[in-house]
Amino acid sequence: MALRTRLTEAFGLRHPIVLAPMDPAAGGALAAAVSAAGGLGLIGGGYGEHDRLTREFAAAGNQRVGCGFITWSMARDPSLLDAALARAPAALMLSFADPAPFADRIHGAGIALICQVHTLAQARRALEVGATAVVAQGTEAGGHGLTARGTLAFVPAVADLIARERPETLLLAAGGIADGRGLAAALTLGADGALMGTRFWASREALIHPAAKQRVLAATGDDTVRTQVYDIARQRPWPAAYTGRLLRNAFIETWHGREDDLRAHAAERGRAVTEADAAGDYDVANVTVGEAVGLIDDLPEAGALVRRIADEAEACLLRNARLVAAS
């Protein structure tokens, strides 16, 4: 059996599972593994480095993968978008800023445009620029986002908006999805598939220090928090409304709520964070995962993970179908 959705039909996938373009976790090897298993792998373009982009596309080999950017950061060097488009990616994902300045260039290259959104206003903007797919991300997600909406209510609201205004647009759910139950729920809510980050962050191919992955195995969703402290320490100019969901640690406990003090020592603290990350010290460096971290207890290969999630989702949907028949 297989889950057939508009997403699988549009992209020629076996499973309606998309790898979130996480920076730095989603490198070429991870994206390729997800695509090889029948999902869609997206390389994390992150804050934008040509060397990283070249290296990770090369690491993906001949697998059909896409790429994603932090839009406001990529806008400082639009040649990054040109470099990505030159590789004919399966899709190009934009997040965290208005996609309009780049939409025509992506459409003109014949590449599918995926826009991640956190509010209905952002979703409507994505439809206006002709997004192939919209990712409705709830605040449960790891990494950057808004506190605006939870996945359970946000996804069907965006599904209704799409049905009214641009029904050909695909919908992906994101935030708090880490297993087949979450994928089945996303499909039931009206999505065509799920974009998943945290679950693949905890996989063998993810470009994450082993010590950070071990922290994930011991954590629960109660251990995460939304904060700006690492953006301040690294002096990254994120729009004020955006925070990052991370695992609590000593650095966060020290500086969360003392952001003004941290700004006064940002250069020094930023160097400490960079050094700690290289050394595997995650009392200081950040572990960027969402609430679904509490559903993770192993570090499998990404391909096996794709197949497991798809099998779980199929079983879940079949079980629920029997509940309807029994009534």
Side-chain angles (χ1 to χ4, degrees):
M1 299 183 68
L3 296 173
R4 299 187 183 279
T5 72
R6 297 192 305 158
L7 175 71
T8 62
E9 295 298 322
F11 284 92
L13 309 178
R14 292 197 297 277
H15 310 298
I17 296 170
V18 181
L19 168 68
M22 303 170 286
D23 178 31
L30 178 53
V34 171
S35 289
L40 175 60
L42 300 180
I43 292 171
Y47 293 92
E49 297 176 4
H50 278 280
D51 289 347
R52 170 180 166 81
L53 205 62
T54 299
R55 181 176 66 252
E56 299 309 331
F57 267 105
N62 295 323
Q63 285 297 328
R64 184 167 172 263
V65 301
C67 181
F69 286 110
I70 297 168
T71 310
W72 61 261
S73 187
M74 180 270 289
R76 298 181 297 188
D77 181 5
S79 69
L80 288 160
L81 177 60
D82 296 326
L85 294 177
R87 292 170 170 83
L92 202 296
M93 180 169 156
L94 300 179
S95 307
F96 312 118
D98 185 3
F102 308 103
D104 286 347
R105 195 181 312 175
I106 296 168
H107 292 315
I111 304 300
L113 170 61
I114 302 174
C115 294
Q116 182 166 270
V117 304
H118 306 87
T119 66
L120 284 177
Q122 291 179 356
R124 188 170 285 107
R125 183 58 166 165
L127 299 184
E128 290 172 352
V129 304
T132 307
V134 171
V135 177
Q137 185 192 63
T139 191
E140 301 94 320
H144 286 91
L146 301 179
T147 59
R149 303 296 299 270
T151 304
L152 186 64
F154 187 42
V155 171
V158 177
D160 291 346
L161 176 68
I162 288 173
R164 290 194 306 269
E165 300 192 6
R166 197 168 181 271
E168 66 271 27
T169 305
L170 304 174
L171 175 60
L172 300 176
I177 302 170
D179 57 21
R181 294 172 297 179
L183 175 56
L187 299 178
T188 303
L189 292 173
D192 300 294
L195 180 105
M196 303 173 69
T198 297
R199 177 60 272 200
F200 287 107
W201 196 98
S203 66
R204 294 187 190 179
E205 293 90 344
L207 296 177
I208 297 297
H209 195 287
K213 294 181 183 180
Q214 289 302 314
R215 289 231 171 183
V216 165
L217 298 182
T220 75
D222 296 336
D223 298 324
T224 71
V225 62
R226 299 208 72 93
T227 184
Q228 295 177 314
V229 296
Y230 284 100
D231 294 329
I232 294 170
R234 291 191 172 104
Q235 301 180 70
R236 290 173 173 166
W238 274 86
Y242 286 94
T243 56
R245 185 174 292 282
L246 315 165
L247 277 188
R248 293 180 183 273
N249 63 5
F251 188 90
I252 290 172
E253 295 299 330
T254 299
W255 296 108
H256 187 63
R258 298 177 54 210
E259 286 78 5
D260 288 341
D261 291 342
L262 179 58
R263 288 185 181 92
H265 301 88
E268 176 188 352
R269 293 297 90 205
R271 286 193 297 272
V273 168
T274 299
E275 292 168 0
D277 193 37
D281 178 3
Y282 291 96
D283 285 329
V284 177
N286 57 293
V287 176
T288 306
V289 291
E291 291 182 8
V293 65
L295 304 176
I296 295 171
D297 60 9
D298 62 352
L299 299 170
E301 293 181 347
L305 192 51
V306 169
R307 292 185 289 271
R308 180 205 301 177
I309 293 168
D311 288 345
E312 290 173 349
E314 291 172 20
C316 186
L317 291 168
L318 287 170
R319 183 169 61 251
N320 289 339
R322 286 195 293 270
L323 290 175
V324 173
S327 66

